[in-house]
Amino acid sequence: MQNPPGLAANETEVIPAVILVVDDEAGILSALKRLFRPAGYTVLTAESGAAGLEILAAEHVDLIISDMRMPGMTGAQFLAQAKASYPDIVRILLTGYSEVSSTVAAINEGGIYHYLPKPWDEHDLLLTVRRALEQQQLKSEAQRLTQIVFRQNEELSAFNANLEKQVIARTEEIRQTVMFLEHSEGEVKKNLLTMLKVFSNLIELRAGAFGYSGRVGELSRNLGAKMARTLGSTYKITESGLQDLMIAGLLHAVGKIGLPDELVRKPMEKMTSEETRLFMTHPLKGQLALTPLEAYASAGLIIRHQYERYDGRGLPNGLVGDAIPLGSRILAVTRDFEALLAGAIATQPLPLEKTLTLLKSQRSHRYDPVVVDQFLVMIEEEGLLHAAKTRVVKPRELEPGMQLAADLRTPDGVLLLTKDCVINPQNIAQIRRFEQVQGMALQLTISI
């Protein structure tokens, strides 16, 4: 609802509008007083333009009504000065019909709101004043609202700027947290893998095959990654699947814990049928040992089926071809490759060339032919790569920042540091002290 003239938007009572009437005739001043006061206006009067300027300087005025023809200073001149000093006051001119040129000057110079002829029509004059004051009030209210909007926009801009800073700060905080969690997760995975290597090393100490399971795990993971890269969706293995291959390789012999020492150390070629039957129970025992660990369920399945044959004559379920889990097909090749080189299958360790020949001869019988072919290519590639990017150093040649390209073990097979470990000053001091105390010479294979 619009406030009536003289009612401030933030007030609860009407404040009368103030009208200044300027005319050199006392009768006109009295007549205008009698006209406006009943309407609720406060009326101030001045008999000249100069007197009117003095009142404007001392009092608050909302509207001026000035006669045109006055001695000393015309109405046009007075209104022009009033406009210059008090532009927000509404200005109305009273003029005679014969004063057209003066009226034009008042409009141009004084910026009058309206002009009325003498003698005036009282109703018309009251209506003009009322409309002028309403317009003035609307203009003032618009200015007030504009200032409020401007101030609110400034506050909003400041709030948005502060909010943006908070968002940036929070985003950075989240980024740092994510980086910390990723680093922590990486450390946990790294420590877990190291723990698994230590555990598999303890199993190997019984058989005297030091580093065997670690090499099987590494080869299995690398072969799975190569097949995923080169063969597409048919042999696609996820990053999680590659991790399962690594774990299965490390723990593929975990079920041997329950076997007698003499059986664990005996090459499979020399086992009796009863010993072979007992030996072949270790994959099932290995899967059973991992059953409480839900995260290792996939690795346990790979371990269970590692002795299945591609032609269906394997154990424990006689699976055929692609029905055998891909991880188990890969593990079978990498496991037997390392076992043949180490003498765990035949009576004597076999050279690399004869080992590869035996693997190729069992394509489509014992092994998946695609897995064998990919493995042979990988062995050739990695053999060249290994020779070009590693070197052997002695403990006295170690420097901080060097990275191990192979596990560091004592001559009797005890694992000291794992592959990919970045050497630090503490490692160097410990290795050199161990070498001195034990009286044994160590060599380390580092990446270059």
Side-chain angles (χ1 to χ4, degrees):
M1 179 176 177
Q2 181 177 313
N3 295 319
L7 180 62
N10 59 347
E11 298 291 338
T12 59
E13 61 179 337
V14 174
I15 299 176
V18 180
I19 299 175
L20 172 61
V21 179
V22 183
D23 198 299
D24 60 332
E25 297 183 25
I28 291 179
L29 294 177
S30 297
L32 291 175
K33 278 184 181 182
R34 289 192 301 271
L35 175 64
F36 291 128
R37 280 178 177 167
Y41 301 122
T42 298
V43 181
L44 303 178
T45 59
E47 296 182 351
S48 66
L53 293 174
E54 291 177 0
I55 292 175
L56 290 176
E59 304 285 346
H60 167 75
V61 174
D62 296 300
L63 183 142
I64 301 172
I65 298 176
S66 175
D67 185 25
M68 181 61 206
R69 183 176 296 177
M70 294 184 297
M73 182 184 298
T74 66
Q77 294 170 335
F78 164 66
L79 293 176
Q81 291 189 39
K83 174 189 175 184
S85 300
Y86 313 99
D88 292 334
I89 297 177
V90 181
R91 296 167 296 278
I92 296 176
L93 182 68
L94 294 177
T95 179
Y97 287 109
S98 61
E99 298 170 331
V100 177
S101 60
S102 299
T103 302
V104 173
I107 292 173
N108 293 334
E109 298 172 13
I112 65 173
Y113 168 77
H114 198 67
Y115 73 91
L116 294 169
K118 287 184 177 180
W120 59 81
D121 179 273
E122 290 186 351
H123 177 74
D124 191 19
L125 180 55
L126 286 172
L127 184 60
T128 299
V129 168
R130 179 180 176 84
R131 288 177 176 174
L133 290 172
E134 286 177 346
Q135 183 173 328
Q136 180 194 47
Q137 183 186 14
L138 290 174
K139 182 178 179 182
S140 298
E141 182 66 10
Q143 291 175 345
R144 187 183 71 83
L145 293 176
T146 299
Q147 291 176 352
I148 291 174
V149 171
F150 179 77
R151 184 172 64 252
Q152 290 177 340
N153 284 339
E154 286 187 325
E155 292 173 354
L156 182 59
S157 297
F159 174 80
N160 287 338
N162 184 56
L163 181 61
E164 184 176 358
K165 290 179 181 178
Q166 292 181 10
V167 170
I168 292 173
R170 183 59 177 161
T171 301
E172 178 61 19
E173 181 182 343
I174 293 173
R175 189 184 70 84
Q176 293 289 343
T177 302
V178 170
M179 288 178 60
F180 173 76
L181 292 175
E182 288 177 346
H183 176 73
S184 299
E185 182 183 8
E187 287 297 311
V188 169
K189 288 182 178 179
K190 181 179 178 181
N191 291 336
L192 177 61
L193 190 59
T194 301
M195 183 192 70
L196 293 177
K197 287 184 177 180
V198 171
F199 182 64
S200 67
N201 180 68
L202 294 175
I203 300 173
E204 292 167 352
L205 288 176
R206 296 181 62 210
F210 309 128
Y212 163 69
S213 293
R215 292 191 297 273
V216 172
E218 196 75 31
L219 282 173
S220 298
R221 191 187 199 288
N222 291 347
L223 179 55
K226 175 177 175 56
M227 294 176 68
R229 288 194 308 271
T230 59
L231 299 181
S233 59
T234 306
Y235 289 85
K236 188 68 174 177
I237 304 177
T238 65
E239 185 61 34
S240 176
L242 296 179
Q243 186 71 6
D244 291 335
L245 270 174
M246 181 69 183
I247 294 171
L250 282 170
L251 301 180
H252 77 277
V254 68
K256 294 180 182 179
I257 290 178
L259 299 179
D261 287 349
E262 61 273 12
L263 183 59
V264 172
R265 292 179 177 269
K266 181 181 288 190
M268 293 184 67
E269 190 177 82
K270 288 190 171 184
M271 293 180 186
T272 65
S273 58
E274 181 61 25
E275 287 175 332
T276 301
R277 186 196 65 75
L278 180 59
F279 180 84
M280 284 299 181
T281 62
H282 84 79
L284 292 174
K285 292 178 179 178
Q287 183 190 30
L288 186 64
L290 297 179
T291 299
L293 302 173
E294 185 177 348
Y296 291 170
S298 297
L301 187 65
I302 293 173
I303 292 171
R304 172 189 175 92
H305 295 290
Q306 61 179 295
Y307 285 104
E308 301 283 1
R309 289 172 52 113
Y310 198 73
D311 58 11
R313 298 168 57 192
L315 297 171
N317 299 115
L319 301 180
V320 180
D322 292 347
I324 305 169
L326 176 57
S328 301
R329 285 179 268 154
I330 291 174
L331 177 59
V333 173
T334 58
R335 178 206 62 213
D336 287 356
F337 172 76
E338 286 292 337
L340 287 167
L341 291 176
I345 295 179
T347 305
Q348 296 294 327
L350 298 182
L352 177 62
E353 293 78 8
K354 190 167 184 179
T355 295
L356 297 178
T357 299
L358 279 176
L359 291 178
K360 285 190 284 187
S361 70
Q362 291 297 313
R363 292 173 76 260
S364 302
H365 300 293
R366 186 177 297 273
Y367 311 118
D368 182 339
V370 177
V371 174
V372 172
D373 294 343
Q374 290 294 306
F375 180 74
L376 295 175
V377 174
M378 185 186 74
I379 288 298
E380 182 179 355
E381 293 174 349
E382 288 200 350
L384 297 174
L385 193 62
H386 179 78
K389 293 192 175 184
T390 64
R391 67 185 178 95
V392 177
V393 299
K394 297 179 180 180
R396 67 172 180 270
E397 300 173 312
L398 285 174
E399 296 179 0
M402 288 181 171
Q403 186 174 20
L404 289 181
D407 294 339
L408 173 61
R409 298 175 181 273
T410 64
D412 55 356
V414 176
L415 179 66
L416 298 180
L417 291 174
T418 59
K419 178 183 176 182
D420 296 327
C421 173
V422 178
I423 300 297
N424 58 43
Q426 291 76 22
N427 298 143
I428 295 174
Q430 290 171 351
I431 292 170
R432 291 174 180 173
R433 184 164 57 251
F434 181 87
E435 189 178 45
Q436 292 173 356
V437 172
Q438 298 296 324
M440 59 178 62
L442 297 177
Q443 289 185 329
L444 300 91
T445 304
I446 66 167
S447 300
I448 57 175

